[in-house]
Amino acid sequence: MTRSEEQRLAPSSVVAMGGVSAFGVGEESWRAGELGAPARVAWRVDPALRDSGLHRPFAARAPEVLPLRSLAVADASSRFEDRAAALLACAVDQVVSTLDEERPGWRGERLGIALGTSSGGMLIAERFFAARAAAPTTAAAAPTAVAVAPTARAAAPTAGAVAPAALASSELRAVAERATYFAPACDVLSAYGLAGVRRRTLILAACAASTIAMGVGMRWLDRGACDLVLAGGFDGISVFVAAGFEALRATTASAPRPFRKGRDGMCLGEGAGLVAMVRRGEERGARPRFFVCGFGASTDAVHITAPDATGGGLSRAALAAVADAGEGPIDLVSAHATATPYNDAMEARAIRAATARAEPALPIVHPFKAQIGHTLGAAGVLETLAAADAIVRGVAPAAAGEGELDPEAAVQLLASSEARSMGRALKLSAAFGGANASLVVSSRGEDRPARARSPVFVTAGARVVDHDLAALSEATGVARDRLARLDGLCRLGLSAVAALAAKVGRERLRGAGIVAGHALATLDTNDAFDARKRSRGPTGVEPRAFPATSPNAVAGECAIVYKLTGPSFATGAGLDGATEALTCAAELLSAGDASAMIVLAADDAGPASRDLLAAIGSTRPFERGAVALLLTTFEGGPPVDLDALPDHDRAPIGHLALLPLLASIS
């Protein structure tokens, strides 16, 4: 009997955990609370953010010294220059140590790695942008080592572009090598001997990144593609990101007060979290800590930053996770809870819809961000670990924040932690681009409903090498002035999806999901945003420009125009992010997480991206352009091999990796 024919499906068993947050390292980092105690908080005025000139400099920093057991150093910061990498290493070290002790030989198993991040190597990227701007230029650039298409705009000399010769210094090369979204993960995996794991993905989905990463890892286990999955997320605190959130008025002027009247936003936190998962029953002597038994994802398709006010988008993700987990009450909700006026009200509506309860029987809500800060790419996994801690220990956690509950955002909050018997918790995440994700975790590990698996086919595709505003406006129905406000990467990606819609019909795309595959993601957009930060100071950044610095913004913009309400996110574990997006999208479609999926690979190939590749000595082809593919579960094109994994070291960069597949359906 095949797995898809089985009556029931095993949940994912978490056999090792690692974390670091402002609360500390290990179990302290996700501790849900102590009986009878109010919620403790770790955020405070952050000297670095204050000294940068930001008006709302509250943040929650992890301990400065991050211990490692498995490497021959006492502190992660002495091994990893990038703070984001040091945080991730601290979490990985804990998981590796546990697996070495409880599951000997695990490195020889079929491994999968799914990590999530919002800003990746942004701390080093800020240094790269500044160094590039300060580097000497030449009147005529020397021939670049990066092969750029002659039809692409980026091939022409660009004002202010740095000659490759100026980027050849060893110092600048070292900065360039760590300025990408994937650099921290690559550095850490290499240090722990895991760089050769082919089945890996880096989910670039802002605040929902690690929730989606855990969900993708769960689907790998469901299919039997892996024996063991490492899943989680990480992020450090940068002035770049803090300035953007303050410009959007998403950060608090005093204290986070989720779901309460007068709330005015969150504060940032830093951290990392990681879990090792296997199928229940395949623990091989390792001790199961808790179980992940449901996953769902959706897209609002309403606005790039503002949530769907009805809560409909988030509730779709939550309901999908609950259905995946099977029957059983939800006793605790780990809320996204950014303490912003619109998000909390929307989330309260989604909680009611997903749990099918009304006051006073609402499940207890835990807004963990108000305690350890918004840890961005680590938020989903750290908050999931806190929820699991609560249900395993039978401690209903207290909620941080003061003030009267907002009737428009009514949920059940506890003033102090209470002893309660709880079996299941629901984790909710929402992000820029309208991306939503949800998990159900359990202390008992019940069987789940079976998920029929379907083959996946590439039904149609389209390629563009540039965009034209007038033509794009006509094709999408979006006003030209609005399109002009998008960054170049979003316009390029939207042009490719518009070309795809012209082939298959706009209605055929409605309701689909979308995964954007990146090589260097939003590096050129980020360079422009950082240039304004440097020239005008962190308080002078452009609010409308910040959302586009998120790599999943292009997926979100396409979702808004074409009503793509299925799962949406971006991928980019290396330069072959396009193949990575293809396999991730096909995995979810095959498992029934969407009715159809769009794979979008887009590359600006702008000056910052070209200069970075030149600085690291890359000679692989690199072009401006985008490819959009439509995946379906009915035969109509070449099948997608879910085990045809990306080759980040040798494959064509970015969207070029999809050209052979596109040619096969033309």
Side-chain angles (χ1 to χ4, degrees), residues 122-383:
M122 186 60 71
L123 286 161
I124 305 296
E126 287 182 283
R127 291 168 53 190
F128 170 71
F129 299 144
R132 178 177 171 274
T137 60
T138 59
T144 177
V146 183
V148 182
T151 56
R153 285 186 182 177
T158 305
V162 181
L167 291 168
S169 73
S170 59
E171 180 182 358
L172 195 51
R173 172 171 180 159
V175 176
E177 286 177 337
R178 288 173 171 77
T180 62
Y181 282 89
F182 52 79
C186 289
D187 282 352
V188 172
L189 294 179
S190 178
Y192 284 89
L194 298 170
V197 176
R198 288 285 309 281
R199 190 178 299 280
R200 72 178 190 268
T201 186
L202 183 66
I203 304 296
L204 305 171
C207 316
S210 56
T211 308
I212 294 173
M214 293 177 70
V216 170
M218 184 182 180
R219 292 293 178 254
W220 289 341
L221 291 172
D222 285 348
R223 186 166 63 86
C226 299
D227 301 315
L228 185 147
V229 168
L230 305 181
F234 65 95
D235 262 313
I237 294 175
S238 66
V239 174
F240 182 107
V241 173
F245 276 111
E246 182 171 298
L248 291 176
R249 299 183 180 180
T251 50
T252 181
S254 55
R257 298 184 296 278
F259 301 106
R260 302 178 190 276
K261 288 183 176 179
R263 62 188 181 276
D264 64 346
M266 51 83 176
C267 63
L268 289 174
E270 65 175 3
L274 192 73
V275 297
M277 302 188 297
V278 301
R279 287 177 294 276
R280 191 209 60 212
E282 299 180 11
E283 291 86 354
R284 285 186 39 222
R287 177 170 60 89
R289 272 67 173 181
F290 66 95
F291 302 90
V292 183
C293 51
F295 168 65
S298 69
T299 306
D300 287 350
V302 170
H303 193 275
I304 200 66
T305 56
D308 176 358
T310 69
L314 184 58
S315 66
R316 286 196 303 275
L319 287 167
V322 170
D324 191 25
E327 295 183 5
I330 298 297
D331 303 302
L332 176 69
V333 174
S334 174
H336 189 63
T338 55
T340 50
Y342 297 111
N343 184 86
D344 287 10
M346 170 279 293
E347 190 168 14
R349 298 183 184 101
I351 290 170
R352 287 195 191 91
T355 59
R357 296 189 186 185
E359 292 184 85
L362 288 170
I364 298 163
V365 170
H366 186 209
F368 200 38
K369 286 183 182 66
Q371 298 178 256
I372 64 167
H374 191 342
T375 55
L376 302 175
V381 63
L382 286 173
E383 291 161 17

Side-chain angles (χ1 to χ4, degrees), residues 40-103:
R40 58 178 177 143
V41 298
W43 51 266
R44 56 185 54 85
V45 172
D46 186 76
L49 299 185
R50 179 197 60 205
D51 294 347
S52 75
L54 289 173
H55 301 307
R56 299 184 171 192
F58 298 99
R61 298 270 183 179
E64 184 176 349
V65 176
L66 301 172
L68 300 180
R69 291 175 56 191
S70 300
L71 301 182
V73 292
D75 177 15
S77 61
S78 65
R79 171 63 174 78
F80 299 97
E81 179 185 7
D82 186 359
R83 176 67 171 175
L87 291 162
L88 177 60
C90 184
V92 169
D93 192 84
Q94 296 163 51
V95 169
V96 167
S97 297
T98 300
L99 291 175
D100 285 344
E101 294 170 4
E102 298 188 16
R103 195 178 172 97

Side-chain angles (χ1 to χ4, degrees), residues 567-664:
S568 72
F569 52 94
T571 61
L575 296 178
D576 189 13
T579 304
E580 187 182 339
L582 175 67
T583 55
C584 279
E587 190 77 56
L588 297 187
L589 180 57
S590 175
D593 289 298
S595 58
M597 291 293 292
I598 295 170
V599 177
L600 172 65
D603 300 293
D604 262 354
S609 295
R610 291 185 293 114
D611 288 346
L612 184 144
L613 290 174
I616 64 175
S618 173
T619 59
R620 291 153 67 184
F622 182 50
E623 299 179 8
R624 178 181 177 83
V627 169
L629 304 175
L630 175 63
L631 308 187
T632 65
T633 54
F634 52 85
E635 192 166 359
V640 179
D641 181 357
L642 301 185
D643 297 313
L645 303 174
D647 185 347
H648 296 295
D649 295 325
R650 289 174 291 274
I653 295 177
H655 75 284
L656 298 179
L658 298 182
L659 294 187
L661 185 56
L662 182 65
S664 71

